[in-house]
Amino acid sequence: AQTVTQSQPEMSVQEAETVTLSCTYDTSENNYYLFWYKQPPSRQMILVIRQEAYKQQNATENRFSVNFQKAAKSFSLKISDSQLGDTAMYFCAFMPAQGGSEKLVFGKGTKLTVNP
Amino acid sequence: DAGVIQSPRHEVTEMGQEVTLRCKPISGHNSLFWYRQTMMRGLELLIYFNNNVPIDDSGMPEDRFSAKMPNASFSTLKIQPSEPRDSAVYFCASSWNMWGQETQYFGPGTRLLVL
């Protein structure tokens, strides 16, 4: 069974600075997807970024980028120029790409606070 | 384009009552997922459908929970009878099950409180 571990329950960063959230996963699959979702106080789950395991290039979305290390099974999220609106829970998630399963496996989340 | 729609957004009920949560997936999506979020257990997949057919219901807690998807644009999650430990936020998500398009988009959730 796949597992996703987020080792940082809480983090804080000053506005305009850069922060990196860690995520590791365990799987025997070779093809899979990885995601970061953001959950602000409104509780809405919002997709931040996704990465296909077969792609070597790290995904980027504006101020958000990932450092995907397949051999190390690591998938960290970097937020540049942090903004107050980035304050939220961040969840790392894994999904196998084969076998007909679309089950997302989530980590426990990291609570990020951006301070003014 | 409208996102995933869930209703009600909040539900307060008493133990023993029946609760029905509703979901309308994004138009054109063919997979639908029900998740539950609690402080203790985090986000858990309860059940998911593909082309209106239940594919995996291994996460459904017990017989008190049931889910249906009568057509491509509507699904329900029913709890009967409800218990205080069912209090949680229930999310519905949908996706288009095609290579490279499997990203799941979540609804706003239903916050359920069972007294």
Side-chain angles (χ1 to χ4, degrees):
Chain A
Q2 294 92 359
T3 58
V4 176
T5 302
Q6 294 179 248
S7 58
Q8 305 148 316
E10 293 192 40
M11 295 189 70
S12 62
V13 64
Q14 292 299 121
E15 195 175 6
E17 293 187 349
T18 296
V19 63
T20 299
L21 309 183
S22 300
C23 173
T24 58
Y25 57 95
D26 187 24
T27 183
S28 58
E29 302 280 345
N30 188 50
N31 293 321
Y32 48 87
Y33 302 98
L34 294 162
F35 304 86
W36 279 98
Y37 282 90
K38 167 185 175 181
Q39 188 177 41
S42 67
R43 292 274 188 173
Q44 175 82 47
M45 292 287 288
I46 302 166
L47 176 70
V48 175
I49 200 166
R50 83 174 228 162
Q51 174 82 40
E52 291 87 350
Y54 66 87
K55 289 186 177 178
Q56 293 186 342
Q57 186 173 8
N58 289 324
T60 62
E61 285 289 343
N62 301 313
R63 298 183 294 107
F64 299 88
S65 61
V66 298
N67 183 4
F68 173 49
Q69 301 290 330
K70 191 173 184 180
K73 296 180 182 176
S74 171
F75 183 61
S76 61
L77 175 69
K78 185 171 82 170
I79 306 174
S80 303
D81 186 24
S82 297
Q83 300 176 359
L84 297 178
D86 296 333
T87 292
M89 285 289 290
Y90 286 82
F91 293 93
C92 178
F94 169 98
M95 184 171 73
Q98 294 176 336
S101 174
E102 299 177 71
K103 296 176 71 168
L104 266 176
V105 177
F106 285 91
K108 294 294 186 185
T110 295
K111 182 178 181 181
L112 175 67
T113 301
V114 180
N115 298 309
Chain B
D1 187 21
V4 176
I5 299 171
Q6 291 186 248
S7 64
R9 294 292 305 275
H10 302 273
E11 178 81 23
V12 180
T13 191
E14 293 187 346
M15 184 173 66
Q17 296 298 307
E18 177 179 295
V19 175
T20 299
L21 311 182
R22 297 173 176 80
C23 176
K24 176 179 170 57
I26 292 172
S27 178
H29 282 187
N30 64 346
S31 290
L32 182 140
F33 308 81
W34 283 102
Y35 291 89
R36 179 172 67 176
Q37 184 179 33
T38 62
M39 288 293 293
M40 292 295 294
R41 301 174 68 92
L43 275 156
E44 304 174 278
L45 177 67
L46 300 177
I47 185 171
Y48 84 90
F49 297 83
N50 182 252
N51 293 324
N52 311 337
V53 176
I55 302 300
D56 187 341
D57 65 354
S58 59
M60 294 287 262
E62 49 199 90
D63 291 346
R64 297 184 298 107
F65 284 69
S66 63
K68 293 182 180 180
M69 191 164 186
N71 58 62
S73 46
F74 183 67
S75 177
T76 59
L77 178 68
K78 187 174 293 187
I79 308 172
Q80 167 62 20
S82 58
E83 296 182 4
R85 61 189 168 127
D86 301 330
S87 298
V89 180
Y90 291 81
F91 288 101
C92 177
S94 71
S95 71
W96 172 235
N97 184 11
M98 176 178 283
W99 177 254
Q101 301 295 327
E102 295 86 343
T103 299
Q104 294 180 23
Y105 295 92
F106 284 72
T110 295
R111 185 171 296 194
L112 174 64
L113 177 61
V114 183
L115 303 174

